[in-house]
Amino acid sequence: MDRSNSSVHSPEKTKQKLTEEELVVLQSHLEEWKEATGKDRKTILRVVIKEAKMQAPKMDARLLKTRKSMYWDWLYNRRAEKTLKKQSKFSKKWTARLVIEHQYKKEILEKTGARPGGKEMIKYYQGAVNAIMGGLSEEQLEESNKTAIEWSSRAPPTDVQAEFAQKKAPGMMKDLATQLWRQAGMRIFILSAWKTEEGEVRINGIDFNDKLEGSSFTDTKDWKPMLPEWNAYVGEEFVDRNDDEDGNEDREEKENRNQRRKKEEFTLEVDTYGLLVILDMKSLNLEDKKSLIRTFLTKH
DNA sequence: GTGGAGGCAAGGGAGCCTGT
DNA sequence: ACAGGCTCCCTTGCCTCCAC
């Protein structure tokens, strides 16, 4: 932000630096910009141009055009401060469309008019999404847009998280383990805990070392002693997170939750006696299953 | 024989990248 | 700033491959 720092080389080619006032305007729209996509970014840029132009030094039409590019570049280059070069491969950006696909899943499938899973269904899927979206009001679409920003910047609701935990998380963990091994020569073993859509806590130890030029940790070492501590932590952590989640729950909801908490504690307690909780078998491939079952049998 | 993993199908949207 | 090309994503169940 040091104005005296402007380039002294080939001044005729050097753009005039953005003023502090212009930067204030840009900064005020940055967060909005980061969460927006495509068309919305253009809308934001228009607002920025309108506001920043008032703060900009006097200039002719040609310079003004350059200025607009500078605004765009300034915002674009700050689109993801933390990972400027590359978005994390683990991040997920929700769009209004993706939100609608999730929220209207049942209606969309009905709309395809075909048997789920068939070629016909796949063929008509996108059209069905478009039809559903076409049937929504401006307000509903705007709401989906807001939801998309909310889900991207904070987190999607628990049912979406549960689905992700089941369908995508195993692949993500394998990816993480592979990259850490390749890029850092690092070995990891992941002890995880997550909540299903039904609200049950599942615990899983997962290890890809035998697929990464190494031998399996879970297969060759006794990792059971880790479980009691982990279970205790999970018991506390998952309960706390729920209580913090929303402040406006009614009493009935709270009671249901407490009942659920008891069930969780029971599950976890059993676990501390040394039973491995491998409820999430679906998420494991054959090798991992064999490995876990071998470990399980060895320990009993 | 059984059962899991992974590929596959169509097609529209969206982001990224490159070049201008 | 933006066009165009490329790649990936998303949907669900079928089907093949493979290990046991």
Side-chain angles (χ1 to χ4, degrees):
Chain A
M1 307 304 155
D2 188 357
R3 282 189 215 194
S4 63
N5 199 27
S6 55
S7 171
V8 290
H9 306 295
S10 46
E12 71 281 1
K13 276 186 182 176
T14 308
K15 291 173 187 169
Q16 197 176 350
K17 285 193 96 179
L18 297 169
T19 67
E20 277 178 22
E21 291 76 14
E22 286 175 289
L23 289 173
V24 169
V25 173
L26 287 166
Q27 189 68 49
S28 72
H29 290 280
L30 183 57
E31 289 308 310
E32 199 184 351
W33 171 275
K34 279 184 195 170
E35 299 306 332
T37 56
K39 274 188 222 158
D40 294 333
R41 286 194 162 171
K42 283 175 190 167
T43 311
I44 295 167
L45 185 70
R46 250 179 267 135
V47 177
V48 167
I49 290 169
K50 200 175 163 191
E51 288 178 20
K53 210 164 70 174
M54 321 259 278
Q55 310 293 337
K58 282 191 178 168
M59 58 187 80
D60 59 28
R62 190 182 55 85
L63 279 175
L64 186 63
K65 208 179 164 189
T66 314
R67 212 65 174 173
K68 289 178 187 174
S69 309
M70 287 172 73
Y71 296 155
W72 177 280
D73 290 342
W74 190 94
L75 290 164
Y76 186 79
N77 289 333
R78 283 159 187 76
R79 65 196 185 279
E81 278 168 334
K82 290 167 200 159
T83 50
L84 246 190
K85 275 198 172 165
K86 204 176 174 187
Q87 270 270 32
S88 162
K89 64 191 298 179
F90 298 137
S91 76
K92 163 143 186 148
K93 193 152 203 166
W94 287 89
T95 60
R97 189 181 177 89
L98 289 170
V99 169
I100 290 162
E101 278 182 59
H102 176 76
Q103 290 177 336
Y104 294 84
K105 191 175 272 187
K106 205 175 146 198
E107 290 85 342
I108 290 167
L109 281 178
E110 278 171 12
K111 201 107 186 165
T112 63
R115 204 160 48 90
K119 279 185 187 175
E120 290 291 286
M121 175 262 157
I122 291 290
K123 195 172 176 180
Y124 295 123
Y125 179 79
Q126 295 299 339
V129 175
N130 287 343
I132 295 285
M133 286 182 80
L136 298 178
S137 66
E138 279 295 315
E139 290 75 29
Q140 284 173 308
L141 290 172
E142 186 49 40
E143 190 56 37
S144 300
N145 216 10
K146 280 184 189 164
T147 306
I149 290 174
E150 165 75 13
W151 288 9
S152 297
S153 59
R154 292 190 62 207
T158 50
D159 61 318
V160 178
Q161 288 183 327
E163 195 182 328
F164 188 94
Q166 197 200 342
K167 289 187 180 171
K168 302 290 174 66
M172 189 185 264
M173 290 191 280
K174 188 173 185 183
D175 214 6
L176 174 71
T178 307
Q179 292 309 320
L180 286 177
W181 169 242
R182 284 189 194 153
Q183 310 297 327
M186 192 180 282
R187 294 236 172 257
I188 62 166
F189 154 72
I190 302 172
L191 197 49
S192 64
W194 57 284
K195 220 168 211 180
T196 66
E197 251 182 285
E198 291 75 35
E200 287 171 17
V201 174
R202 295 191 180 184
I203 287 174
N204 204 353
I206 197 155
D207 172 15
F208 299 100
N209 290 301
D210 57 332
K211 288 175 201 63
L212 302 169
E213 304 158 52
S215 53
S216 166
F217 166 63
T218 51
D219 210 11
T220 59
K221 296 287 178 284
D222 180 12
W223 58 291
K224 190 181 67 177
M226 293 178 181
L227 284 172
E229 287 300 311
W230 180 244
N231 290 348
Y233 171 76
V234 168
E236 290 162 17
E237 201 60 27
F238 275 66
V239 166
D240 287 347
R241 203 188 67 170
N242 266 344
D243 287 350
D244 290 347
E245 227 162 44
D246 45 19
N248 58 350
E249 59 184 347
D250 57 28
R251 182 162 288 197
E252 195 185 340
E253 207 178 334
K254 226 170 198 169
E255 276 165 13
N256 285 340
R257 207 164 268 174
N258 284 339
Q259 280 170 3
R260 207 192 290 159
R261 186 195 297 190
K262 269 180 198 150
K263 194 176 168 190
E264 282 162 19
E265 280 170 355
F266 179 70
T267 308
L268 296 170
E269 209 176 312
V270 168
D271 203 52
T272 59
Y273 290 120
L275 296 171
L276 303 184
V277 178
I278 320 174
L279 298 170
D280 184 26
M281 289 294 269
K282 270 190 203 163
S283 71
L284 303 178
N285 60 29
L286 189 62
E287 282 309 305
D288 296 321
K289 268 179 198 157
K290 282 194 296 187
S291 161
L292 279 170
I293 289 164
R294 266 200 301 275
T295 311
F296 185 86
L297 292 175
T298 329
K299 307 301 167 204
H300 291 79

